[in-house]
Amino acid sequence: MKIITLHTQEKLLIKKAIDNNREAQKEIFERFSPKMLGVCRQYVKDIFHAEDLMLQGFLKVFTNLKSFEHKGSFEGWIRKIMVNTCITFLRKKNELDFYEDADTFQTESTENLENTTVEDLQKLIDLLPDGYKVVFNLYAIEGYKHSEIAEKLGITESTSKSQLFKARKLLQENYYKMNTAAYEIGIKK
């Protein structure tokens, strides 16, 4: 019964926000903005740009709220808007470079990252070129398939696979360097 109540409350909150109820809009923003800033931060290194993109994303959310059909989660719908806003921003800045590669995609085991902090993982992801980062995030974090990534970014599936392979490889190299440096200065034992 609690699930139904929560779902009904969310529908009512959305309806109020559609009717320009400022309190409802504020509640939606306050409920989802911390997570959505994290989503934007995954795609854009600079926290100020990430925050600006999150605000642009929420403007799109409130502008298009009538189009939310209550199929799937509301948070997922907002998240998709945030991801698309970030990708559009990176495209406009011409920071999404994808290189067609003759190399075939190979799966390769990656080193275990279980003991790595979220902050360290974000630092490693930030070191990736934007093209690698976007494909990595869409695949590994958002759960898109290569065919969906290819369509969303206007690239081929093989380019998507190649970008993911290179991103994983670079993440692994940088992870190794980070741990080696930490060990050498006595942080790790």
Side-chain angles (χ1 to χ4, degrees), residues 7-182:
H7 184 68
T8 303
Q9 288 174 350
E10 187 174 85
K11 274 188 166 182
L12 181 60
L13 183 65
I14 293 167
K15 185 187 177 328
K16 286 180 179 179
I18 290 170
D19 294 336
N20 286 323
N21 179 303
R22 298 294 179 221
E23 288 299 315
Q25 292 172 343
K26 180 180 177 188
E27 186 176 335
I28 289 171
F29 180 80
E30 288 176 349
R31 184 184 299 176
F32 295 106
S33 63
K35 281 185 183 178
M36 296 308 128
L37 179 58
V39 169
C40 293
R41 179 63 186 79
Q42 289 171 341
Y43 290 87
V44 180
K45 190 184 304 188
D46 183 285
I47 187 69
F48 297 109
H49 281 118
E51 189 173 293
D52 186 49
L53 290 167
M54 179 202 62
L55 293 172
Q56 288 177 35
F58 270 105
L59 181 61
K60 292 176 185 176
V61 166
F62 293 123
T63 302
N64 296 297
L65 205 49
K66 289 179 184 176
S67 69
F68 178 64
E69 299 175 348
H70 299 281
K71 296 177 183 172
S73 80
F74 184 52
E75 181 178 333
W77 183 77
I78 294 173
R79 184 180 188 96
K80 187 177 274 192
I81 290 171
M82 296 297 163
V83 169
N84 289 335
T85 301
C86 290
I87 290 171
T88 301
F89 168 78
L90 292 170
R91 273 195 183 131
K92 284 181 182 176
K93 286 187 71 181
N94 291 323
E95 292 189 11
L96 286 181
D97 292 322
F98 301 104
Y99 303 100
E100 290 289 336
D101 203 342
D103 295 341
T104 56
F105 176 73
Q106 303 166 1
T107 57
E108 191 175 277
S109 64
T110 57
E111 231 173 285
N112 190 348
L113 300 174
E114 280 180 11
N115 298 323
T116 306
T117 66
V118 172
E119 291 81 17
D120 285 342
L121 284 173
Q122 188 61 56
K123 287 177 187 174
L124 290 171
I125 292 171
D126 284 343
L127 292 173
L128 295 173
D130 286 328
Y132 292 7
K133 185 187 328 183
V134 169
V135 171
F136 177 82
N137 284 332
L138 288 173
Y139 184 86
I141 297 175
E142 304 298 334
Y144 283 84
K145 297 175 185 166
H146 286 293
S147 59
E148 296 168 320
I149 295 169
E151 184 178 324
K152 183 177 269 309
L153 299 178
I155 58 176
T156 65
E157 275 188 62
S158 62
T159 299
S160 176
K161 290 176 182 180
S162 173
Q163 298 289 300
L164 178 64
F165 174 75
K166 290 175 183 179
R168 285 179 171 167
K169 187 174 180 180
L170 191 55
L171 281 171
Q172 190 173 23
E173 289 170 8
N174 289 335
Y175 176 76
Y176 175 76
K177 287 177 190 175
M178 181 181 71
N179 282 328
T180 301

